[in-house]
Amino acid sequence: MRRYGKDADEDDIRNRPARRGSRPRTRIRPKHEDAAEAMILTVDRGRLTCLVDAGTKKEREVVAMKARELGRKGVVVGDLVDVVGDLSGEPDTLARIVRVAERTSVLRRTADDDDPYERIVVANAEQLAIVCALADPEPRPRLIDRCLVAAYDAGMEPLLVLTKSDLASAEPLLEAYGPLGISFVVTRRDELETTGAEAVREHLRGLSTVFIGHSGVGKTTLVNALVPARQRTTGHVNAVTGRGRHTTVSALALRLPPPPGAKPGSKKALDPGWVIDTPGFRSFGLSHIDPSRVILAFPDLEAGTEDCPRACSHDEPDCALDAWVAEGHAEQARLYSLRRLLASRDTREGD
Ligand SMILES: Nc1nc2c(ncn2[C@@H]2O[C@H](COP(=O)(O)OP(=O)(O)OP(=O)(O)O)[C@@H](O)[C@H]2O)c(=O)[nH]1
Ligand SMILES: [Zn+2]
């Protein structure tokens, strides 16, 4: 079963090459034995920035486009690809992406719940950092719930990042999310300038973490503190595209600085973790979500679904979980949390 087969990727290109007569097209594709492996750092209107020879002295950024043979297959940030052509990384060069490796995870969203096109935002990330301000703007628990559902659906671990703790206490939110057992970290701008950034980085080491949050929650402040070198990269203008990275609407992968005291060349220094920044959004559409994947995030409740009707959403009157939990097999608070997450799939004003 291919779960993601028909999805429209964020950078999907819709014009198909015209069929030329009845000439049979060969199904054998060139092997590209000279191809180099690369990771996609950002996508900007069909131009993809790839990191080649990552972690070596020859590491460099190469701008590439999709080779025709990839057809409609999308390439997104975090994808591991094979590139051929001019891989020098010199200005005005353009390489070609000829293969995309199978993805270990796919974070998807729809612009809103009525949008039939779901977009793949990021591939191969392990963690989803949900950035939420404790005040200014007020926290939106339903939006957090929706992001959690997206994380569970994608098979990613959620991390709750609660910002602006100088303005309000984190206690009420942490109480509400306690039964879900989610990792969390609380930040404030003045601390991010000192020890706060490293405290957040500790949750990110060795992982690829996607940061999402709606406008104004302090995500930019946070990411800039986590990746101080970012300022430099955002000013960089690409010779091929003629555009600065600041114009990008796609996600952007940024490598964390190595942990303090890491030996140069050690695994810790070479794999310090990635922050994948995404554009702020107003809503997080979930029309593509399969509820049977959300229950996977509740292994303690899974056994209780055995007597459920076929294709039970676990949020309906006949669901077997109510009786099973009432018999004392699991905590009521866990079932309540599951139901709250499932209910967040329905659109309401303000989502
Ligand atoms: N009081 C307080 N303000 C903060 C904190 N972090 C960020 N801010 C302020 O909140 C505002 C929004 O911060 P940004 O970092 O731009 O937020 P963002 O989430 O990137 O927002 P967009 O750029 O709109 O997507 C700015 O005025 C920041 O200075 C904090 O910890 N405490
Ligand atoms: Zn059920």
Side-chain angles (χ1 to χ4, degrees):
M1 184 178 74
R2 281 207 55 190
R3 299 185 49 246
Y4 308 119
K6 289 211 171 104
D7 304 342
D9 282 1
E10 190 122 281
D11 59 344
D12 207 348
I13 292 169
R14 264 146 223 287
N15 46 344
R16 293 177 201 212
R19 291 252 163 119
R20 290 213 188 97
S22 57
R23 185 165 58 93
R25 289 165 71 185
T26 173
R27 307 210 92 219
I28 301 163
R29 301 208 162 133
K31 278 214 178 74
H32 300 300
E33 272 160 10
D34 55 338
E37 288 177 11
M39 173 185 156
I40 303 296
L41 299 179
T42 193
V43 184
D44 186 2
R45 281 162 284 188
R47 293 289 190 265
L48 301 104
T49 305
C50 315
L51 190 68
V52 181
D53 286 326
T56 72
K57 278 194 185 136
K58 291 190 293 178
E59 178 178 297
R60 64 210 178 272
E61 291 182 12
V62 169
V63 177
M65 57 184 288
K66 285 194 335 180
R68 224 159 208 257
E69 64 204 71
L70 282 182
R72 283 167 56 82
K73 189 171 177 53
V75 183
V76 299
V77 173
D79 262 326
L80 298 173
V81 299
D82 283 353
V83 278
V84 299
D86 189 332
L87 303 179
S88 64
E90 296 296 325
D92 300 316
T93 60
L94 189 59
R96 278 179 309 128
I97 295 168
V98 290
R99 262 190 300 265
V100 182
E102 201 175 323
R103 295 165 176 158
T104 55
S105 76
V106 187
L107 179 68
R108 299 173 295 162
R109 63 180 292 244
T110 31
D112 56 54
D113 281 341
D114 301 326
D115 183 352
Y117 290 105
E118 55 182 88
R119 291 159 226 285
I120 296 179
V121 185
V122 175
N124 301 321
E126 289 106 357
Q127 190 165 240
L128 183 67
I130 303 162
V131 186
C132 174
L134 291 161
D136 187 26
E138 281 306 297
R140 288 165 56 185
R142 271 181 58 82
L143 186 60
I144 299 178
D145 289 349
R146 295 188 133 231
C147 295
L148 286 172
V149 169
Y152 295 140
D153 177 69
M156 293 164 70
E157 278 297 317
L159 170 69
L160 207 50
V161 184
L162 302 174
T163 60
K164 311 197 188 185
S165 68
D166 52 315
L167 300 180
S169 159
E171 281 315 309
L173 266 186
L174 292 179
E175 224 161 83
Y177 288 92
L180 286 167
I182 303 164
S183 306
F184 67 88
V185 57
V186 180
T187 68
R188 48 189 289 176
R189 189 177 40 198
D190 51 342
E191 281 178 3
L192 282 174
E193 284 157 15
T194 56
T195 54
E198 195 51 37
V200 180
R201 286 188 204 115
E202 277 167 19
H203 291 269
L204 314 175
R205 291 299 178 197
L207 300 172
S208 168
T209 304
V210 183
F211 280 69
I212 58 172
H214 80 86
S215 276
V217 295
K219 188 163 64 63
T220 304
T221 304
L222 177 69
V223 171
N224 284 345
L226 293 173
V227 193
R230 180 190 205 197
Q231 315 287 15
R232 211 173 51 224
T233 22
T234 46
H236 166 99
V237 174
N238 186 290
V240 173
T241 62
R243 291 184 285 257
R245 285 233 189 100
H246 55 276
T247 59
T248 187
V249 291
S250 107
L252 171 64
L254 301 156
R255 183 152 44 197
L256 287 169
K263 264 198 249 139
S266 65
K267 184 170 178 344
K268 272 191 180 163
L270 289 175
D271 188 17
W274 288 88
V275 164
I276 301 184
D277 194 10
T278 62
F281 57 80
R282 277 179 297 133
S283 66
F284 205 91
L286 291 177
S287 58
H288 58 283
I289 295 290
D290 173 1
S292 68
R293 287 188 55 86
V294 178
I295 184 93
L296 295 180
F298 292 79
D300 51 328
L301 298 180
E302 239 190 307
T305 63
E306 264 169 32
D307 295 330
C308 282
R310 263 191 77 212
C312 182
S313 70
H314 309 309
D315 191 23
E316 53 192 74
D318 290 341
C319 179
L321 277 169
D322 298 84
W324 189 79
V325 170
E327 285 164 22
H329 295 288
E331 280 181 45
Q332 196 68 51
R334 292 279 293 165
L335 179 56
Y336 173 76
S337 296
L338 169 69
R339 291 272 160 77
R340 203 185 68 215
L341 292 196
L342 289 171
S344 76
R345 290 179 307 136
D346 308 327
T347 326
R348 277 194 220 150
E349 197 65 40
D351 279 345

